[in-house]
């Protein structure tokens, strides 16, 4: 079902209802066109921002771009245009950034584990937060992290979950029903990841935390920012799904 | 009032209640959605700050720029395997393991661990810029040994 989104938006609707009186008739097509333009104008900033956010080190330069795009979207919403809700925008982009950052670290550990930058900065990260990325590093036949079970998580998540999550997030941002459905599916994958991964770390806590600079609590403070699925799931199960069209 | 009119009224009422709410959010869940939005923004900004500052912080913590990346790589390797003779090989033979040869740590048996079903590493915790001190002390010691060797 492809419901028209006109008048099913935030804002009080005064802006659109005032327009015809002020400047003549506004047709549904005009409104549609204006909304589409406003959406794309905001998305250009949001996409540029999100690409930088996903790079780690250059993320700080992406944040102003992203926030500016968010502001443009909010202004368009307030002006009564039919644009994507802020929550959908935030969840979609956060899922992409979260998945992108995870992919970056894990793909490098899988195939770039002998690069100098990885052997310095990422094993240093391991030494500070999680010695799974320091202990016997590059001793396993496949290279990279040697912590028990870690490679299995990496392969499963890099090859299956995170690409699926990024695809779902893109379709979700396009307000497609399959994007919404697959975001629910992959957010529940995210819950499985969190429970399985933290349990693995707990069982092999000596390997992960002995001799580490900021063990356990440090890891939690650092990694709690990846808790995206737990914030997205309550929204996804309570939002009116009819706003996502087939 | 006919049945259809009352239904229209109810719909109109629901619509007016939802008028100030974001698309897709019903009044029942408006408060939860507001808190989720705040949480998501915190996570987004948190990820950006972490992403931007962690790697520079790590580089400084482990001795950059006093030590170059190759030095830090070697110092970390010496700590990891409790062996001062180990050096980071750079550049490493491309493409590296698993299809292009053995990994860097292959065959090293000097790492100190209490082995068992749950291994327990015994390398020391590395303090702030401690690698610089360890590096300088070893160089001084080696220089001293060389100088000592010249005077039997």
């Amino acid at each position: 079902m492809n419901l028209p989104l006109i008048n099913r938006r935030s804002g009080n609707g005064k802006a659109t209802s005032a327009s015809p009186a002020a400047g003549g008739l506004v047709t549904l097509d005009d409104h549609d066109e204006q909304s589409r333009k406003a959406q794309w104008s905001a998305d250009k900033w949001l996409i540029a921002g999100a690409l930088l956010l996903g790079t780690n080190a250059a993320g700080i330069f992406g944040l102003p771009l992203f926030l500016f795009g968010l502001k443009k979207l909010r202004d368009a919403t307030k002006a009564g245009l039919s644009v994507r809700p802020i929550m959908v925008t935030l969840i979609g982009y956060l899922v992409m950034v979260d998945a992108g950052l995870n992919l970056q670290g894990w793909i490098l550990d899988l195939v770039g584990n002998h690069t100098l930058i990885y052997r310095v900065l990422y094993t240093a990260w391991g030494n500070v937060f999680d010695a799974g990325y320091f202990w016997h590093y590059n001793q396993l036949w496949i290279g990279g992290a040697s912590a028990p079970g870690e490679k299995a998580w990496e392969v499963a998540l890099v090859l299956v979950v995170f690409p699926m999550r990024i695809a779902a997030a893109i379709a979700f941002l396009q307000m497609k029903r399959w994007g919404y459905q697959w975001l629910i599916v992959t957010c529940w994958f995210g819950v499985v990841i969190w429970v399985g991964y933290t349990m693995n770390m707990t069982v092999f806590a000596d390997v992960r935390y002995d001799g580490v600079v900021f063990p356990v609590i440090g890891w939690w403070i650092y990694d709690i920012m990846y808790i995206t699925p737990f914030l997205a799931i309550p929204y996804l199960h309570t939002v009116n799904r009819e706003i996502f069209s087939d | 009032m006919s049945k259809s009119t009352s239904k229209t009224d109810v719909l109109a009422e629901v619509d007016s209640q939802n008028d100030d709410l974001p698309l897709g959010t019903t009044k029942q869940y408006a408060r939860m959605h507001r808190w989720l939005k705040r949480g998501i923004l915190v996570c987004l900004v948190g990820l950006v700050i972490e992403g931007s500052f962690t790697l520079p912080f790590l580089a400084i913590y482990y001795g950059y720029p006093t030590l170059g990346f190759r030095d830090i790589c070697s110092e970390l390797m010496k700590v990891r395997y409790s062996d001062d003779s180990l050096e980071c090989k750079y550049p490493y033979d491309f493409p590296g393991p698993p299809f292009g040869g053995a990994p860097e740590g292959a065959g090293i048996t000097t790492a100190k661990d209490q082995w068992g079903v749950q291994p327990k590493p015994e390398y020391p915790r590395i303090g702030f810029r401690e690698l610089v001190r360890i590096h300088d002390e070893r160089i001084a010691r080696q220089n001293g040994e060389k100088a000592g060797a010249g005077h039997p």
Side-chain angles (χ1 to χ4, degrees), chain A residues 8 11 127 134 136 203 222 238, chain B residues 19 23 33 50 62 113 118:
Chain A
R8 307 185 74 228
N127 194 256
F134 183 76
H136 289 263
V203 171
Y222 190 91
T238 54
Chain B
D19 221 21
L23 176 70
H33 287 189
E50 277 181 6
Y62 288 92
D113 291 281
Q118 292 180 132

Side-chain angles (χ1 to χ4, degrees), chain A residues 8 10-11 53 56 60 66 114 119-120 127-128 134-140 203 206 210 213 222 238 240, chain B residues 19 21 23-24 33 44 48 50-52 61-62 69 80-81 89 92 97 103-105 108 113 118 120-121:
Chain A
R8 307 185 74 228
S10 54
L53 296 187
N56 252 337
I60 202 77
F66 187 84
H114 281 71
R119 282 182 293 173
V120 172
N127 194 256
V128 171
F134 183 76
W135 181 78
H136 289 263
Y137 197 81
N138 273 340
Q139 204 160 38
L140 212 58
V203 171
D206 287 327
D210 275 14
V213 178
Y222 190 91
T238 54
N240 176 9
Chain B
D19 221 21
L21 295 174
L23 176 70
H33 287 189
L44 194 75
V48 173
E50 277 181 6
S52 304
Y61 190 98
Y62 288 92
F69 268 32
R80 183 182 307 129
Y81 293 113
K89 185 178 177 187
Y92 204 80
E104 190 171 33
I108 300 175
D113 291 281
Q118 292 180 132
K120 193 170 160 53

Side-chain angles (χ1 to χ4, degrees), chain A residues 8-12 53 56-57 59-60 63 66 85 87 90-91 94 114 116 119-121 123-125 127-128 131 134-141 203-204 206-207 210-213 221-222 225-227 231 234-235 238-240 243, chain B residues 19-24 29 32-33 36-37 39-41 43-44 46-48 50-55 58 61-62 69-70 72-73 76 80-81 88-90 92 97-98 103-105 108 111 113 115 117-121 123 125-126:
Chain A
R8 307 185 74 228
R9 50 172 165 56
S10 54
N12 53 19
L53 296 187
N56 252 337
I60 202 77
L63 193 61
F66 187 84
M87 259 307 253
L90 280 175
I91 289 179
L94 179 64
H114 281 71
L116 188 60
R119 282 182 293 173
V120 172
L121 293 179
T123 58
W125 184 87
N127 194 256
V128 171
F134 183 76
W135 181 78
H136 289 263
Y137 197 81
N138 273 340
Q139 204 160 38
L140 212 58
W141 63 271
V203 171
F204 295 102
D206 287 327
V207 163
D210 275 14
V212 160
V213 178
I221 291 172
Y222 190 91
M225 302 301 170
Y226 291 93
I227 201 158
L231 295 169
Y235 179 79
T238 54
V239 69
N240 176 9
I243 67 172
Chain B
D19 221 21
D20 289 331
L21 295 174
L23 176 70
Y29 295 113
M32 185 177 81
H33 287 189
L36 291 172
K37 186 163 88 179
I40 287 166
L41 267 172
C43 284
L44 194 75
L47 282 176
V48 173
E50 277 181 6
S52 304
F53 297 110
T54 304
L55 298 184
L58 291 171
Y61 190 98
Y62 288 92
F69 268 32
R70 285 182 69 174
I72 298 174
C73 185
L76 286 171
R80 183 182 307 129
Y81 293 113
C88 226
K89 185 178 177 187
Y90 175 79
Y92 204 80
E104 190 171 33
I108 300 175
D113 291 281
W115 284 108
V117 70
Q118 292 180 132
K120 193 170 160 53
Y123 41 67
R125 176 183 174 277
I126 303 171

Side-chain angles (χ1 to χ4, degrees), chain A residues 17-41:
Chain A
S17 54
S19 303
L25 192 66
V26 173
T27 66
L28 189 61
D29 283 347
D30 290 339
H31 176 90
D32 218 29
E33 182 62 17
Q34 283 172 15
S35 300
R36 205 183 52 75
K37 278 186 179 159
Q39 183 68 69
W40 177 235
S41 147

